[in-house]
């Protein structure tokens, strides 16, 4: 290096270069195929844009019976020496796809972006690029996908070691994720997920998730407490909360005196509307996943049971659906 006459300026330049070399890299080089990007025309892309709500429980696999603990298929040594059961794991891949909060899809020929209320951003590049030759590991890894008609196939590598997985355990540098997204019918989106790790897993960790389109919703970024206690300022009881109980609550106790002074102002609620009312009262549950049982109509109110994958809720509402609440979700 040729020094500049002013030694102070030389010192500044040397110090800057030394500092730059010690700063961790913040970007990586795109690995395009020969000829550059290969793009699908906008007209060939499915319209999955917008918000999608999770179907099922906040777990890895809804096909596994309630009460059975779920975690990745770690080998015996990992389970004995490292593994600790844990909740969470929703801030990295693959846990983000459980959709603790609704997922928003943004699709263009270059990429599919998936975001949520927790501020997470996932990028699935669909412009023909390959994984980087020198990747920087991250909680979401590096995802590349390609379209086969209206089916999106995705491969993810380069996950960051130490990130939490749903049910317990951590990501590892040898972990990879393969996904297949498709829409079996308008308003419904599905994804098959297969996670492999040749070092830590005994077999692929698989699931199939279902999401439901919510075109009337918009994203509200959560505050630092994760949204605990958040409610709409003008919400009435039952419009955005659930009566919690440590044990199943009899419907008679829930409804005792609750509707004595109610005035019916809207049309009488039909049985087929009760799944929507149940999901609203229970919270963070898609109406499409609720089964309605034992509907009883009284003079001023309705009682019923709302069955989800893991619980049966005792519910009640005025005849027009106002004041709806559910309590005592008993496992089944």
């Amino acid at each position: 290096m040729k020094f500049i006459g002013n030694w102070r300026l030389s010192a500044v330049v040397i110090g800057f270069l030394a500092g730059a070399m010690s700063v961790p890299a913040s970007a990586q080089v795109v690995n395009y195929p020969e000829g550059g990007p290969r793009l699908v025309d906008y007209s060939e892309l499915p319209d999955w844009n917008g918000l999608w709500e999770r179907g099922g429980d906040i777990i890895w696999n809804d096909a596994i019976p309630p009460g059975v603990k779920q975690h990745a298929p770690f080998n015996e040594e990992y389970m004995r020496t490292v593994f600790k059961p844990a909740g969470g794991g929703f801030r990295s891949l693959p846990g983000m796809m459980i959709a603790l909060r609704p997922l928003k899809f943004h699709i263009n020929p270059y990429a599919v972006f998936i975001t949520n209320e927790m501020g997470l951003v996932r990028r699935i590049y669909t412009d023909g690029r390959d994984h980087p030759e020198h990747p920087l590991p991250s909680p979401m890894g590096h995802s590349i996908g390609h379209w086969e008609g209206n089916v999106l196939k995705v491969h993810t590598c380069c996950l960051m070691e130490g990130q939490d997985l749903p049910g317990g355990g951590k990501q590892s540098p040898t972990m990879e994720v393969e996904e297949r997204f498709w829409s079996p019918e308008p308003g419904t989106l599905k994804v098959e997920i297969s996670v492999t790790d040749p070092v830590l897993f005994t077999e692929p960790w698989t699931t199939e998730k279902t999401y439901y389109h919510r075109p009337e919703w918009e994203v509200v970024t959560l505050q630092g407490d994760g949204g605990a206690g958040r409610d709409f300022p003008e919400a009435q009881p039952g419009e955005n909360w659930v009566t919690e109980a440590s044990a199943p609550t009899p419907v008679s106790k829930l409804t005792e005196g609750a509707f004595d002074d109610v005035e019916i102002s809207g049309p009488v609620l039909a049985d087929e509307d009760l799944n929507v009312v149940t999901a609203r009262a229970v919270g963070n549950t898609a109406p499409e996943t609720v089964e309605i049982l034992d509907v009883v109509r009284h003079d001023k109110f309705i009682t019923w049971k709302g069955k989800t994958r893991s619980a049966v809720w005792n519910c009640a509402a005025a005849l027009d659906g106002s004041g709806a609440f559910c309590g005592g979700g008993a496992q089944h």
Side-chain angles (χ1 to χ4, degrees):
M1 177 178 179
K2 184 177 180 180
F3 285 91
I4 305 173
N6 186 322
W7 69 269
R8 289 185 176 87
L9 182 57
S10 298
V12 169
V13 172
I14 294 172
F16 172 79
L17 293 175
M21 289 186 289
S22 66
V23 174
S26 58
Q28 57 195 5
V29 177
V30 178
N31 187 10
Y32 281 129
E34 186 176 350
R38 300 170 183 171
L39 304 178
V40 174
D41 190 83
Y42 259 112
S43 63
E44 300 177 26
L45 296 173
D47 184 10
W48 297 347
N49 293 295
L51 272 170
W52 297 80
E53 183 181 18
R54 178 198 70 254
D57 286 354
I58 310 173
I59 55 171
W60 176 249
N61 192 341
D62 285 281
I64 296 176
V68 178
K69 294 186 181 300
Q70 299 192 30
H71 57 74
F74 293 109
N75 60 41
E76 183 178 348
E77 180 180 359
Y78 187 95
M79 290 296 295
R80 185 180 68 254
T81 61
V82 179
F83 180 81
K84 292 182 179 179
F90 306 119
R91 292 184 173 274
S92 58
L93 205 65
M96 178 188 183
M97 302 312 296
I98 290 178
L100 173 64
R101 302 291 179 180
L103 301 176
K104 186 168 187 178
F105 282 67
H106 319 251
I107 298 179
N108 65 59
Y110 288 88
V112 174
F113 293 85
I114 305 176
T115 61
N116 68 9
E117 293 180 334
M118 300 164 71
L120 302 179
V121 179
R122 184 183 176 197
R123 302 168 181 86
I124 302 174
Y125 297 108
T126 56
D127 57 0
R129 73 182 67 187
D130 202 348
H131 293 303
E133 293 184 4
H134 304 288
L136 292 170
S138 69
M140 294 298 167
H142 187 270
S143 297
I144 54 175
H146 67 276
W147 293 97
E148 295 183 2
N150 285 337
V151 175
L152 175 63
K153 293 188 175 181
V154 182
H155 181 267
T156 301
C157 71
C158 319
L159 294 164
M160 180 179 287
E161 186 172 13
Q163 301 296 301
D164 291 336
L165 292 174
K170 305 286 185 179
Q171 284 182 353
S172 83
T174 52
M175 192 173 293
E176 297 184 1
V177 184
E178 291 189 357
E179 296 161 290
R180 176 177 174 266
F181 293 83
W182 79 101
S183 178
E185 59 187 0
T188 302
L189 184 64
K190 288 182 176 288
V191 57
E192 293 175 347
I193 307 173
S194 178
V195 186
T196 58
D197 190 322
V199 176
L200 298 182
F201 286 6
T202 59
E203 61 183 356
W205 191 29
T206 62
T207 189
E208 180 180 299
K209 309 305 292 184
T210 301
Y211 314 114
Y212 298 103
H213 196 207
R214 300 293 184 243
E216 71 280 11
W217 289 10
E218 64 181 21
V219 171
V220 178
T221 303
L222 297 180
Q223 60 267 38
D225 63 358
R230 182 179 66 173
D231 211 335
F232 298 98
E234 303 302 323
Q236 298 300 310
E239 291 185 344
N240 196 43
W241 57 267
V242 53
T243 301
E244 297 182 353
S246 58
T249 306
V251 173
S252 59
K253 183 177 180 181
L254 286 174
T255 58
E256 186 176 354
F259 301 100
D260 287 351
D261 300 322
V262 70
E263 293 185 8
I264 308 301
S265 58
V268 174
L269 204 65
D271 287 4
E272 55 266 29
D273 297 325
L274 294 178
N275 60 336
V276 176
V277 177
T278 305
R280 182 184 63 185
V282 170
N284 208 359
T285 301
E288 292 87 345
T289 66
V290 179
E291 180 183 359
I292 301 302
L293 306 169
D294 303 339
V295 178
V296 179
R297 295 180 178 273
H298 305 266
D299 289 341
K300 291 188 174 183
F301 63 92
I302 314 169
T303 61
W304 71 94
K305 295 182 184 298
K307 182 180 179 182
T308 63
R309 171 190 171 273
S310 56
V312 177
W313 299 86
N314 295 315
C315 301
L319 291 178
D320 59 359
S322 60
F325 57 91
C326 296
Q331 287 194 345
H332 60 83

